[in-house]
Structure formats: C-alpha cells, structure tokens
Amino acid sequence: MTTYIALLRGINVSGQKKVPMADLRTLISDLGFENVKTYIQSGNVVFQSSEEHALILETKISESILNVFGFEVPVLVKSQLQFQEIFESNPFSEVQKSNSYFTLLGEIPKSDAVESVSKETVVNETFVIADSCVYFYSEHGYGKAKCNNNFFERKLKVSATTRNFKTMQKLLSLCSDL
C-alpha cells in the first residue's frame, strides 16, 4: 500500500467549484482508497492505494469529481516519497524556506520553456525551476506576486498547482500519521 497526496487545483476559491471536504473524503473513499484525510479547504488529500501509477489515480479522482460535482478539476498526485523529495529539495536559505511556495508541475516542462522562463527576472521575486516543481520566494508574499501559478503554467505550458511551505509540511505530517 502506497501513501499518496492528491492536490486539486482551483476548488473553493471565491465561491467557485465548491467541494466540501467531507464530500471529497467520501468520494475518495468510494473509489476504494484507504485512510483518506483532507487538509484545509483548498483540495489537499492524503490517502493510501495499492495502485502504482499516479496518472491512473489522477484520472480516477478527476473523473469522479466531474461525475459527482459536475465540473472539471485538475488533479495532481504524488507519492509520499516524491512529495518528500520535492519538499527537501527546496533550494532557499533557512530563513526564506518557511515563506516559500511550491508550484508542483503536472509534467516535466520542455527545456526550451525552462530556459526562456529562467531568464526572466522580477524585483523581489526568486524562483528555481526543477523537473517537478518551481520553488518560489517573494519578499512581499504570494498575494501580489507576478510569478504566480498562472504565470508558470502559461510560460512552461504545463498544468500546475501551488502550495505554501506550511501546507507542504502539514501534508507530509499527515502521511506520517498513517
């Protein structure tokens, strides 16, 4: 049995795509996954499954959300080990880490896109692009950042979802509790 983390993009934001967490836990459990836990309202789910392919899990969850709630939601699934590696690979200083953001990528972006985006600079914003994550730090926080999730999706031409350091840390803690 493998422990996974599913990240749903764009639910419960400004009253759009409402998915109550109790309903989401039921939906995930009804798919046959075990030890399902959610964290905050933004679509973070920890669960266990014997399925070995994250893409199959993403498809099952996404299709089930469409069937139950009537709208499409991008879903990104990573194993606990993959998530831990992403978290531990944060390149920022200890001071910056606790205020950093992780834009998790649905696929490895093409090298020419990475090269192009890497040349861009924004005052007070720093990012490092890895295969499965863009590590982001802004001196003024994420709220008004130019290099946000939409920026990286558009520039790298991949699906992505962003979580802050605290959320990443809590999701890994929930995995350890299973």
Side-chain angles (χ1 to χ4, degrees):
M1 195 72 69
T2 302
T3 301
Y4 290 100
I5 298 169
L7 304 173
L8 285 63
R9 184 177 187 281
I11 66 165
N12 300 332
V13 178
S14 302
Q16 302 296 312
K17 295 186 177 180
K18 290 184 180 183
V19 178
M21 292 301 100
D23 294 349
L24 182 59
R25 282 190 298 276
T26 299
L27 179 142
I28 301 293
S29 295
D30 288 349
L31 290 172
F33 306 146
E34 298 179 20
N35 300 313
V36 179
K37 295 181 180 184
T38 56
Y39 175 67
I40 62 176
Q41 298 297 311
S42 59
N44 305 291
V45 186
V46 173
F47 64 94
Q48 293 180 315
S49 173
S50 57
E51 176 58 58
E52 296 179 9
H53 296 83
L55 186 57
I56 292 172
L57 296 169
E58 290 171 359
T59 302
K60 282 184 178 182
I61 295 169
S62 185
E63 287 177 353
S64 186
I65 289 170
L66 178 60
N67 291 336
V68 171
F69 295 102
F71 48 79
E72 291 184 8
V73 173
V75 177
L76 178 67
V77 174
K78 299 283 186 193
S79 70
Q80 177 183 0
L81 179 61
Q82 291 171 314
F83 211 79
Q84 185 74 43
E85 288 173 0
I86 290 168
F87 184 75
E88 290 175 357
S89 295
N90 186 326
F92 297 120
S93 70
E94 289 304 313
V95 172
Q96 293 173 325
K97 275 184 186 180
S98 62
N99 292 308
S100 65
Y101 294 83
F102 300 74
T103 299
L104 294 110
L105 307 175
E107 60 189 89
I108 298 172
K110 293 183 179 173
S111 58
D112 59 333
V114 171
E115 187 178 325
S116 176
V117 175
S118 295
K119 292 177 184 175
E120 297 200 27
T121 58
V122 176
V123 176
N124 299 320
E125 296 183 20
T126 306
F127 61 87
V128 176
I129 303 171
D131 283 349
S132 58
C133 183
V134 178
Y135 300 93
F136 177 75
Y137 173 79
S138 172
E139 291 179 25
H140 303 296
Y142 193 77
K144 295 182 180 179
K146 178 183 179 200
C147 299
N148 58 24
N149 194 87
N150 292 335
F151 171 86
F152 289 117
E153 278 189 324
R154 187 176 63 255
K155 297 283 187 171
L156 296 174
K157 297 178 176 58
V158 297
S159 176
T161 189
T162 301
R163 299 298 187 271
N164 66 28
F165 182 89
K166 181 180 174 184
T167 297
M168 297 283 288
Q169 197 171 43
K170 180 63 178 181
L171 291 171
L172 285 167
S173 172
L174 289 174
C175 288
S176 297
D177 292 345
L178 297 182

